[in-house]
Amino acid sequence: MKKEKVYLAGPLFTKYEVEARKREHKLFKETFPNIDTFAPIDAPHNNTSPTALQIFEADYKEMNESNIFIFDLNNEDGGTLVEVGLAVERKARGENIEIYGFIHDIRMGRKDFEGPFYRAFGINQFCIGAIEKYGKLFFTFEDVLEEMKKIRA
């Protein structure tokens, strides 16, 4: 059996996104010490000035070596959505991989902005549908870890 490896993806450009990605990487390694991890936020090329092509090639290589994907869908980061599409395509072709997405926004479920002009909360429904079909959706990163613990118990 191929060794398990997780790819942790999400927006990583603001101070708070960087802190979240680093916290999630640390928490995952503490929770699942026997699963290899890759988090783009901790990629070696981040210490240099890589080109867009170098970033793509390095992260794409890591994605192809991974069989578990966890996506932070908050803020609909373009790079993360591309990664979702790449993972979904692998699953659709029959690869034995796990796909998890999480998204939480304090506006979720609010009733005060419903109507034809305002939506209290929204995310690209194509992306949500893809993960619903080929993976699982959760509200938090910790919820994903709990699900993974159940599967591996």
Side-chain angles (χ1 to χ4, degrees):
M1 179 179 159
K2 180 181 175 183
K3 178 147 175 64
E4 289 185 301
K5 182 174 183 177
V6 69
Y7 186 96
L8 303 170
L12 46 76
F13 300 106
T14 70
K15 172 185 173 186
Y16 303 103
E17 291 168 344
V18 169
E19 289 171 359
R21 299 296 78 80
K22 288 188 174 287
R23 181 188 66 79
E24 291 160 1
H25 194 186
K26 181 178 184 281
L27 183 57
F28 190 91
K29 289 194 297 189
E30 290 170 355
T31 307
F32 297 102
N34 296 324
I35 298 177
D36 290 341
T37 62
F38 177 77
I41 191 65
D42 293 322
H45 62 255
N46 288 338
N47 297 323
T48 64
S49 297
T51 66
L53 180 59
Q54 288 169 327
I55 292 168
F56 170 77
E57 289 175 339
D59 291 356
Y60 187 72
K61 174 185 176 292
E62 294 291 340
M63 285 192 77
N64 283 319
E65 294 173 358
S66 300
N67 53 9
I68 304 166
F69 298 89
I70 302 176
F71 299 106
D72 177 348
L73 301 172
N74 292 293
N75 300 330
E76 293 189 291
D77 172 68
T80 304
L81 296 180
V82 169
E83 291 164 326
V84 168
L86 292 169
V88 163
E89 184 60 23
R90 285 179 55 193
K91 182 79 171 188
R93 291 184 180 185
E95 285 192 47
N96 185 23
I97 62 173
E98 298 170 40
I99 299 173
Y100 303 97
F102 67 94
I103 184 166
H104 186 76
D105 187 297
I106 62 171
R107 298 168 291 182
M108 292 172 76
R110 281 178 53 179
K111 302 293 182 198
D112 55 337
F113 285 105
E114 290 184 342
F117 302 107
Y118 302 100
R119 291 185 66 196
F121 177 79
I123 185 172
N124 184 293
Q125 296 300 288
F126 184 79
C127 180
I128 294 298
I131 294 178
E132 283 181 337
K133 181 169 176 93
Y134 293 107
K136 295 182 179 183
L137 287 164
F138 297 90
F139 288 110
T140 68
F141 183 77
E142 291 77 9
D143 292 342
V144 171
L145 298 183
E146 288 303 314
E147 176 69 13
M148 289 182 65
K149 285 181 196 175
K150 288 180 198 171
I151 291 170
R152 285 157 178 79

